[in-house]
Amino acid sequence: MQILEKIGDGLSSVINKCIINHKQYALKSFKECSRKLREREIKILNSLKHENIISILEFDQDYNWYTTALMKTDLHQLIITHGPLQSITIQQILLQLSNAILYMHSIDYVHRDIKLENIMLNSEAKMYIIDFGLSVCLHTSKQYPRHCGTATYMAPELNLEDKIINSNSLKKTDVFALGVVIFILAYGYPPFTVTIQSKCRFWNTIIQQKWQQFWNYFDKLIKAPTHPDFKDLIQNMLEPDPNKRFTIEQVNKHPFITNQSNLEELIDKLNI
């Protein structure tokens, strides 16, 4: 294996391009991370078989690294470079991602860190969810650490003071994070910085169910998606009360999602 330039760097791992048998791949190497956590991530990824979830190609016996297919970019970099996307493109992205999360939830896996940076694209605009370092299988326990994920994408129940959350509440946190992802794809900005009432006025607006005020602000920043069902879907995915929030099954059946494939906009942007 020949290790090439660094293409990603996180708290617990670094990603490099590498060459194996004259072909380029992505190499994820763990930093100072316990063997238990390294092994858990690799075993979870090896348990998940879905076309929109990254697959491990090779890993070492001590779980220090693994390789995957090399992607073109991630959604975060795509939005930074090209700005907000059209509704029809967002519909297709959401279809791929909701199918992947629906699959995960159906076999009781929760990602716990859905965000733009953890969604990769290949040159044909196919989505791949990556980075399962915080993921859990709900069969292994009934309680999990509450405060987990990336602040902008964390559901409000993850910011409560008690440190433990029940397993039956975790799936809805993936739905919330996916709602933030879809909002950013449409507007180019996150809907709030954090879901703590005293720290973010935009989250206060949602808590108070003042959705029209919320939408008026963002619609002044950028032309909103024209699809009539977009805002209804976002409001149900970002619902503060997890008992009222959509499940991933409801997201997957929402009229905003279409099965008609139209990814020309993304493919054009990826090949500029």
Side-chain angles (χ1 to χ4, degrees):
M1 180 192 301
Q2 180 184 357
I3 299 177
L4 304 177
E5 71 267 25
K6 183 191 300 183
I7 55 176
D9 197 350
L11 291 175
S12 61
S13 63
V14 60
I15 301 175
N16 292 79
K17 287 183 181 179
C18 70
I19 296 178
I20 303 174
N21 295 329
H22 309 293
K23 292 185 178 181
Q24 287 196 358
Y25 299 93
L27 169 69
K28 180 170 181 175
S29 304
F30 293 100
K31 297 179 181 178
E32 295 181 5
C33 182
S34 71
R35 179 189 170 96
K36 181 179 179 180
L37 293 178
R38 302 194 309 266
E39 182 177 357
R40 186 185 70 180
E41 178 174 349
I42 290 174
K43 285 188 173 181
I44 286 176
L45 266 176
N46 276 333
S47 299
L48 298 172
K49 307 297 180 184
H50 190 275
E51 62 177 335
N52 298 116
I53 296 174
I54 200 73
S55 295
I56 289 180
L57 302 176
E58 184 180 358
F59 63 93
D60 81 318
Q61 61 182 4
D62 292 320
Y63 303 104
N64 290 313
W65 56 264
Y66 63 83
T67 60
T68 69
L70 185 63
M71 297 289 116
K72 184 80 173 180
T73 188
D74 61 58
L75 283 182
H76 179 254
Q77 192 58 50
L78 185 80
I79 294 300
I80 288 177
T81 304
H82 299 288
L85 303 174
Q86 298 175 14
S87 269
I88 194 166
T89 304
I90 296 171
Q91 288 172 297
Q92 291 304 307
I93 292 173
L94 180 56
L95 176 63
Q96 294 185 53
L97 297 179
S98 64
N99 280 339
I101 296 172
L102 179 64
Y103 161 75
M104 283 192 287
H105 287 187
S106 72
I107 55 175
D108 284 337
Y109 283 90
V110 182
H111 188 277
R112 303 211 73 186
D113 200 20
I114 297 290
K115 58 183 178 180
L116 293 175
E117 294 90 336
N118 285 342
I119 302 166
M120 305 294 294
L121 302 79
N122 66 13
S123 58
E124 297 176 346
K126 186 173 182 177
M127 306 291 139
Y128 292 88
I129 298 176
I130 67 165
D131 197 348
F132 284 73
L134 298 179
S135 302
V136 293
C137 176
L138 301 183
H139 293 309
T140 60
S141 177
K142 292 185 178 180
Q143 293 184 324
Y144 295 89
R146 182 179 294 277
H147 194 82
C148 181
T150 302
T152 303
Y153 299 83
M154 285 171 59
E157 60 268 26
L158 297 178
N159 288 313
L160 298 179
E161 290 186 1
D162 55 313
K163 296 181 179 180
I164 300 298
I165 187 170
N166 291 329
S167 59
N168 58 6
S169 302
L170 278 182
K171 291 180 181 179
K172 294 287 190 75
T173 65
D174 276 355
V175 173
F176 189 94
L178 181 60
V180 176
V181 166
I182 298 307
F183 184 95
I184 298 174
L185 295 182
Y187 285 90
Y189 299 90
F192 34 72
T193 53
V194 65
T195 54
I196 299 175
Q197 196 166 358
S198 62
K199 294 185 178 181
C200 181
R201 67 185 180 96
F202 296 113
W203 181 244
N204 283 340
T205 304
I206 294 176
I207 286 284
Q208 296 166 17
Q209 295 293 302
K210 295 180 179 178
W211 280 106
Q212 192 56 54
Q213 180 180 332
F214 174 87
W215 291 118
N216 286 343
Y217 175 83
F218 282 97
D219 287 343
K220 289 178 182 178
L221 293 179
I222 189 169
K223 185 179 179 181
T226 56
H227 195 288
D229 295 309
F230 174 80
K231 291 179 180 179
D232 176 77
L233 177 61
I234 290 295
Q235 289 177 202
N236 281 290
M237 294 179 76
L238 299 185
E239 165 60 50
D241 184 349
N243 294 316
K244 297 178 181 177
R245 190 180 307 144
F246 267 12
T247 63
I248 195 63
E249 290 85 357
Q250 289 172 296
V251 172
N252 205 248
K253 294 177 181 177
H254 193 273
F256 178 72
I257 291 185
T258 175
N259 288 312
Q260 296 177 355
S261 180
N262 191 330
L263 290 168
E264 284 83 359
E265 179 193 15
L266 266 188
I267 293 172
D268 288 345
K269 292 181 187 300
L270 289 170
N271 291 289
I272 289 176

